[in-house]
Amino acid sequence: MAQIVLQQPWALVLLPAGWLLLLAFAWRRRFKPFSAFLARLLIIVLAALALAQPVIPPADALPAAPPDRLVLLVDQSASLGAAGQQALRSEAARLAQAHPDAHTLLFADQPVLVADPLPAPAAGLLNPEVSDLAAALAMARQLLGAGDGPGRVILLSDGVPTRGNLQPELERLAGQNVPVDVLLPAPAEIQAWRDGMNEVKVVEVRVPPVLRQGESYDIDTLLHSERPVSVTLKLVQNQTTLAEDVIALEAGDNRFSVPVTASEAGLHTFRVSIAAAAGDDRQLQNNSMSAFTQIYPPPKILIVAAEQSQGSRLAALLRNAGYQTEVVGPDGLPTRISELEQYAGMVLANVPAPALKLEQMIAVQEFVSGLGRGLLVTGGRNSFNLGRYDGTPLADVLPLSLEPPPREERPPVALLLIIDHSGSMLEIRGSTTDRLTMAKEAAIRATDILGPDDLIGVLMFDNLYQWVIDFQQVSDGAELLGIQQRIARIPAGGGTRILQALEVGIPALIEQDSAASRHIVLLTDGKSFDGSSSIADYDKIVDQAVEAGITLSTIAIGGGADTDLLSYLAERGRGRYHFAETPEELPALTISESDILRSEALQQGDFGVAVAAPHPLLRGLFSTRPGDGRDRPPDVTGYLAMSPKPQAEVALQVGPGDPLLAVWGYGLGRVAAWSSDLGAEWAGAWRSWDKASRFWGQVVGYTLPAPDLPTGLRLDTAARADGTLSLRADSLTAAGQPVDNASPQASLQTPAGENEQFNLRQIAPGLYERRLRLPADGAYQYRVTQNQPDDDSLSAATGFVQPYPAEYGQPDSGSGAPLLQQIAAVTGGRVLALGELFAADSTVEAVQAPPSEPLELWPYLLLAALVLWPIEIALRRWGRLRIQ
């Protein structure tokens, strides 16, 4: 607000005398007229003020307000390099010279107040491996809050702090109206600070944290270089060198993988280091990085396989991957959980649901959900939708819904029913109906399952053969009724010649090449009387069918059937074998075979396989980079189309995007589903793949629970804000109660291989701790031993990695610009380039304008009095006229 100065203040003493004279005259006239009295009073006041000569002085004549107080924050962290640190100190020295009252804070791990910013800070004063910008801003705010008047902060930094919570401090500065001006160095300036030298560093080393003996894995390393350069790469496991070679790095990120096989059980540490030629690497502190893993003894896997050969092949692959295996048939699957506790995981290899009892399926369900174990279910013609899983506990466990995805109208299929009508089919054993009657009913019902465009053929045989129905479309209405009537009139005959029937029926079905899928169902209750025929004769005709893409299923009726031959034919014909104890089972079995043919779930053809999303169970197997054709998944020629459940993770997809490999968590365990087979028919390329053992080992391994750890000791490590590391051990009884006064003994193996022994101190019930400052970065092994009351000892071990300081892992130049801009925006400061900083700061103190003349007010007051004088006269005369 403008101030008014009276040049002749003595003139105001005339006011009381003027007021007294005015009152005296007004009293005689009884203050009439009153308006005239007020006008005369105001004229006297204006005249007195005019005589006092009031003026408004110029702004430069007022007392000067104090200038903005200034705090300079100067970053001295290692990410700047020695040249960058010196450049910021030099700029701060220029600012401090222009503003002698400014406070200068050098900061890295902490802020330090200095009188002269130009010299480098004394050794030990700052730790350049840490950058705590929040602490520096807090101290600047405290310095400004200690005085009067406004304040300002100028921040000289690359904007890449490694410690501290910055956002709350920015909000406090904004709340106190303290702006922060920031230096925004250009990338070229930062590169100049770094003397134009190249920088190479180890960014990441990845090893699976848990492995089993014999498992294959990769040590993945990510290196970064600002320019193309050659370096020496060295990989050390524990204290043994695994690999050492000269490699060429491109500008940017470079990834390398070293394949390794897990050896002896226990903790294992790894260290990757690089060395460049002199002058090709600016910072040596980020040239190595470590990792650790714990290798456990091989777990035991139970393989349940409907076909022994499939189970044996998978068992061999898993043994090569470091597992112990046991192969059983469906009858050998235990029904009691106690008998399953010895297994870490289970595989159901193409097992149909009818082959398992309800108690067995419930045991599998509880094995996963209750015990937390792993389960892999593989496909085939006896599994999933075709294995009648719908409505069973197995369907609940799966990560896939058995309902096929929506499809366009399916192409026509062809079904050949070869029905035995020998005399023995009229026998009634343990049933109310003969076998032939039930076989004919099964065939009739199969025609109801097929669509009108599908093809059907019915061949009856005894010691001769006869076509009941030549191949024709099922159609509907009268034509369908005619087909069913001809099937119903099949008579009984003589002996049984299976080979002859196959030799007639298979060539006829081969000719039906317009059908997308072709399938044969052979129903018989006896043994074949083909004279001198041998198993090789059967192989010859069945192999013709397989080569043409035709599958053969067999149904043995009653105990008199040649079950060995029929099961062999089904296996060789890539179909399914069924045993019907009574004739009443025939319709359901035949319908299930018809369902296979007409089902939209069964997809056959040549299908490419793709990685749906990167997943841990696929680590190191396939390339996920676009356009990279190396290590692509093998193809499949068939699979069962299903839909993923909402919580399922799809790792591999096939065909139009159907899941091929999916996993999910079920209860305490995990379940994986493979919708193709194990290579007997559809996934032959996977069976011959050179990575098959590793693939199935990783799939099974992903489903397994974590290895059993000592129940009495749980080890943990945690980094603290003061730079120390907390090593802890939680001691518990078998019942989960804390163990006090245990005095556990601990040892720490350093990256150099040295062992440090120490005791842990109890800090809470059952909780023991020791705080240490680690001597160097790298992988450490932490072991704890605790004596038990029964003179036994309990021990546990784990590992952890101390990385190199984050200051040495900062990205390329310019990465801190967004944070610096945010600091200025939040606090209301300015963003300045390095060359603009000194010039711009001249506005911190006010620039004085040339002196100006004072503003005289007395002429305006005198003019106002003169204007009021005639008004007063008029009011006085008007009052007299009213009185008269």
Side-chain angles (χ1 to χ4, degrees), residues 859-882:
Y860 301 100
L861 297 174
L862 186 58
L863 179 62
L866 293 175
V867 170
L868 281 175
W869 190 4
I871 295 175
E872 184 273 338
I873 296 174
L875 292 174
R876 183 159 29 94
R877 291 182 178 180
W878 175 257
R880 289 176 182 175
L881 292 175
R882 292 182 62 185

Side-chain angles (χ1 to χ4, degrees), residues 212 215 317-318 321 323 692-702:
R212 59 191 171 277
E215 182 179 0
L317 293 173
L318 293 181
Y323 292 94
S693 181
R694 178 174 178 178
F695 171 74
W696 290 114
Q698 290 185 188
V699 171
V700 171
Y702 181 77

Side-chain angles (χ1 to χ4, degrees), residues 447-467:
T447 62
D448 291 328
I449 295 295
L450 298 176
D453 294 330
D454 295 330
L455 300 173
I456 188 169
V458 180
L459 178 66
M460 66 179 182
F461 74 96
D462 48 12
N463 56 343
L464 300 175
Y465 68 88
Q466 180 181 347
W467 284 100

Side-chain angles (χ1 to χ4, degrees), residues 225-244:
S225 178
E226 294 178 358
R227 295 197 292 264
V229 69
S230 293
V231 299
T232 300
L233 175 67
K234 185 177 182 180
L235 170 61
V236 177
Q237 179 179 0
N238 299 329
Q239 303 301 319
T240 303
T241 300
L242 293 183
E244 185 172 7

Side-chain angles (χ1 to χ4, degrees), residues 77-80 128-130 158 160-162 194 199-204 222 224 226 253 282-289 803-813 815:
S77 59
S79 61
L80 288 161
E129 295 183 342
V130 179
D158 60 357
V160 281
T162 59
R194 296 172 177 177
E199 169 65 3
V200 294
K201 58 190 172 186
V202 183
V203 179
E204 182 182 45
L222 175 61
H224 183 86
E226 294 178 358
D253 290 342
R282 185 173 59 254
Q283 292 178 324
L284 304 181
Q285 295 89 339
N286 54 15
N287 284 8
S288 65
M289 186 170 285
Y804 56 71
E807 280 293 318
Y808 301 117
Q810 297 296 348
D812 294 340
S813 57
S815 62

